[in-house]
Every structure is written in structure tokens, then in C-alpha cells.
Amino acid sequence: METMRLTLWEGFAHDQGRFLFNELNQDHVLGASMVSVGSYYGTCLSTVGRTRLFIDPDIDETDDLHGWYADDGYVQKHISWSQILTNSISEMEMVFNAKRIKLNQFTAAHNVKYFRVLAKVLSIDSSMPIWYESCAQHLRRADMCVECDPSFSRPRYRINIKIGDATNTMSVTLFGQYAEMIIGCPISSIQAMTDNEFGDYFLEEYLSERLMNTFTFILHVLEIGNDDIIVASVLQVRWEEEFYYLTREMRGQSN
């Protein structure tokens, strides 16, 4: 059985995603149209603003898939095994509820595990390659992993960027799908862009066009007192949430 990852963004993550999170023991069929098709260790799908997403749509194919789930022992085993991931999904729920702060509140926020900031991408460091050949299992550099066959390596994004809001700036490193969100295209497109004598120029021009875009960054503090942080997620901005946050902040200042 082949599998494919579907990433839910923005309202889909808040609505359908939360519903599916609470329905892990149920076998639901998803129907989606107008999704973005990308490549990250195989084909993957992502919701975008124009996506239409349905849970258990009232069509014949839904009944066929439910029957397949009921009759195929491997699928049942796969679903049962997925329950082992409950702790990981709980971790995702913590990310979902990360505390909203500004960058200048980072030090004060070290008593929490996750926090979110709304920030612009100020710079993307292109002095070093923005991807590397990764081993398939551990995501290390393929030429440095003694456990994996280097012939199965795949390119993986690794970018250093500076983000900032009105209060401060911060340098962070992003890998994989989160870096791809910032870059805005799969690695194959970047490779094609740079596969000529003017490649460095084209890359610089393209990266400059990606600056000043705003994202929500979910940052993970490894431990209290440790200044090392990990980008746990990068999300498209939900401006209705930001409006609510700013309104609440203004009310607090006026009291």
C-alpha cells in the first residue's frame, strides 16, 4: 500500500485538522480538490486558500474506500500501529497552542516550551548551499552517515534566515518542508534555476523576491536556560487571529 502526506494549513488545520485529531480511532475518507502538489521525500499535498476539503463526502467512492478499510487486514494493522503516534500528536497539539509573543519577549518566555511569533523574513543566507544531500533515514549529510547507503540520498533544504518583527530580530535555521515554505518552491526548481552559468545570479534574484514575506513561526525552546531554539513549524498567517490578538493587546494597554 502506498501512502501520501496531506498537510493542512490555516483554517483547514484549525477546523478539519482538529476534528481528525479527535477522531483518530475512526476511519474517515477525505476528498480534496485544488490542492498544491509538492515533492518532499515523494509526492505530498498541501491545502491552499482555494482548496475544498470534505470529510466522508457523500459519493460512491467513499463507500468503496470504507469497504476496503474494513476488509484489508494490512490497512487495519496500519491504523492500529498509528495509535502509537499519540504522544507525537499530543506534541503537535502543544505546538498548536503555543504562546503568542513578540521577539523581544523571547527571554521571558523561556518558562514555556513552545511559542509563536509573527515575523517577516529579512534575509536568506545564500553564501552556503541552501540544500544538502541527506541520508534517507536520519536526515544527516549522506557522506557523513555511516548507517545509510549514500546511493539512496535525497536533496534536503537547509537555510539560515533572519526574521524580525517591530521589536527585535532573530536568526534561525530551517530544514525540509519549513524551508521550502520560505523558498516557495521544491528543490528541483532551484536546481533547474541554477543549472547554468548565470545560476548564482538567478538564485540571488529569486531569493531577494522571497524577502519581507510574513509567516507565523512556531519556535521550540529545548530547555530552560538554553538559548538554542528549533523552528517547530512555519505557518501561513491567519490574519483574523492576528486581528483578534492585536485587539486584545490594545484593550489591555488601555486598561
Side-chain angles (χ1 to χ4, degrees), residues 77-148:
K77 179 186 290 186
H78 185 75
I79 293 174
S80 297
W81 174 83
S82 72
Q83 305 311 309
I84 300 174
L85 299 178
T86 300
N87 290 337
S88 297
I89 295 174
S90 297
E91 192 97 336
M92 291 171 59
E93 185 74 357
M94 293 176 64
V95 172
F96 183 82
N97 293 317
K99 181 179 179 181
R100 174 70 160 85
I101 66 168
K102 298 176 181 177
L103 281 177
N104 68 342
Q105 299 171 312
F106 171 69
T107 302
H110 271 194
N111 62 332
V112 298
K113 193 171 183 180
Y114 294 98
F115 60 97
R116 69 176 62 210
V117 295
L118 183 75
K120 291 182 180 294
V121 178
L122 302 179
S123 66
I124 302 174
D125 184 3
S126 61
S127 62
M128 300 289 288
I130 62 175
W131 76 83
Y132 66 99
E133 289 296 325
S134 163
C135 68
Q137 182 176 356
H138 307 96
L139 304 182
R140 302 168 183 157
R141 277 182 47 181
D143 59 352
M144 299 184 65
C145 183
V146 298
E147 302 175 56
C148 296

Side-chain angles (χ1 to χ4, degrees), residues 228-244:
D228 294 331
I229 61 173
I230 294 175
V231 178
S233 186
V234 179
L235 309 173
Q236 297 289 347
V237 179
R238 285 179 56 87
W239 292 109
E240 62 271 28
E241 286 189 356
E242 290 305 315
F243 176 77
Y244 172 77

